[in-house]
Amino acid sequence: MPDGRTAVRRAAGFSRTLLLAFACLIMAAPFLWMAATSLMGQLEVFGSGRLFPESPLWSNYPEALTAQPFGRYFLNSLIFATVVVAGQVFTATTAGYAFARCDFPGRDTLFMVFLATMMVPAVIVLIPRFLMIDSLGWIDSYRGLVSTELVSVWGIFLMRQYFRTLPRELEDAARVDGAGHWRIFRSVALPLAKPAVATLALFAFIDAWKNFMWPLLVTRSMEMRVVEVGIAAFHSTYEINWPYQMVAGVVAALPIALLFLFTQKYFVRGIQLEGIR
């Protein structure tokens, strides 16, 4: 009997592994097709019916990436994402700590109001945001691009939930030594919250990197376009050249794919932190 149960468990484990592998293959299929198409010629894409190129055309990459200033697009996306990460980490950690540890009138009500804004679709506030930036004269500038993205309500919620899990004894000990809220936050709470901060920074970077609608509205010149907006313009120029379009898609997705590959634990950590009370 024990041998029979062991065999059943092994068979069940093998079945689960096989099922997961099949599911992963299905999810990865579009990306594999995109990468394969980026190495084909135009006639091969439409005429051969092949899933993979017979002879990879690596020259598609330099040709496509020099057809438009993708170097500038990547630089703009990097600046945009870096500033957004710095801004969201600062605002989310300070506000999250205040909501978790500081007692002030209306704290819980204000926090609920913050959470309620997460139910408002982002597209509804695009026009008010645009009119505000336009009135400040920040259209087609880095200030206009990043200024409305520096606060993340989800980030504040994440950091508040994490700070609430920290033992109060450490803060009480620092308070006995004469430390105030800011000193306790900077020297005690923030160093202990590095896993949550890393998770927040990771999600903020990915969200900024793949942001399309807001950069499309607030930028005008090619010098200020980010990668996602540049790809959309590239599509309109090379509409019938599928290999070139797939090259642009692969290059834009590659940084996010590599980031996810090396930081998977933080994605999982972010999901876990959302459930902390």
Side-chain angles (χ1 to χ4, degrees), residues 262-273:
F262 292 105
T263 57
Q264 296 179 50
K265 64 178 181 179
Y266 292 113
F267 279 93
V268 177
R269 183 62 171 165
I271 297 173
Q272 294 173 339
L273 289 175

Side-chain angles (χ1 to χ4, degrees), residues 115-130:
L115 290 184
T117 63
M118 296 178 67
M119 296 185 290
V120 180
V123 68
I124 292 179
V125 298
L126 279 178
I127 293 178
R129 290 167 63 190
F130 176 81

Side-chain angles (χ1 to χ4, degrees), residues 28-111:
F31 299 98
L32 296 176
W33 177 82
M34 181 173 65
T37 304
S38 69
L39 297 173
M40 294 182 181
Q42 293 188 65
L43 296 179
E44 189 176 8
V45 172
F46 296 103
S48 67
R50 294 177 177 272
L51 294 178
F52 298 98
E54 182 178 7
S55 179
L57 296 177
W58 296 102
S59 59
N60 284 347
Y61 278 79
E63 291 173 2
L65 295 179
T66 54
Q68 286 199 13
F70 272 95
R72 182 68 185 187
Y73 299 162
F74 271 92
L75 177 62
N76 290 338
S77 287
L78 184 61
I79 293 174
F80 177 45
T82 302
V83 175
V84 166
V85 168
Q88 290 192 11
V89 166
F90 177 77
T91 57
T93 52
T94 51
Y97 181 79
F99 281 123
R101 289 292 194 254
C102 299
D103 292 324
F104 55 89
R107 182 190 67 176
D108 295 336
T109 302
L110 182 59
F111 181 68

Side-chain angles (χ1 to χ4, degrees), residues 137-157:
W138 291 353
I139 296 296
D140 203 37
S141 68
Y142 287 119
R143 289 176 296 178
L145 190 62
V146 305
S147 57
T148 63
E149 304 292 325
L150 300 179
V151 177
S152 168
V153 177
W154 176 85
I156 294 173
F157 170 74

Side-chain angles (χ1 to χ4, degrees), residues 204-273:
F205 182 89
I206 292 175
D207 184 65
W209 186 270
K210 65 182 182 64
N211 198 329
F212 171 75
M213 186 60 69
W214 177 245
L216 176 65
L217 289 177
V218 80
T219 59
R220 294 287 183 270
S221 62
M222 294 184 65
E223 289 74 18
M224 287 303 303
R225 285 176 178 167
V226 296
V227 169
E228 294 294 332
V229 179
I231 290 177
F234 191 79
H235 171 73
S236 63
T237 304
Y238 295 91
E239 185 174 359
I240 61 174
N241 195 324
W242 279 90
Y244 278 19
Q245 293 184 58
M246 295 302 105
V247 166
V250 168
V251 173
L254 190 59
I256 300 299
L258 293 176
L259 190 64
F260 175 77
L261 182 64
F262 292 105
T263 57
Q264 296 179 50
K265 64 178 181 179
Y266 292 113
F267 279 93
V268 177
R269 183 62 171 165
I271 297 173
Q272 294 173 339
L273 289 175

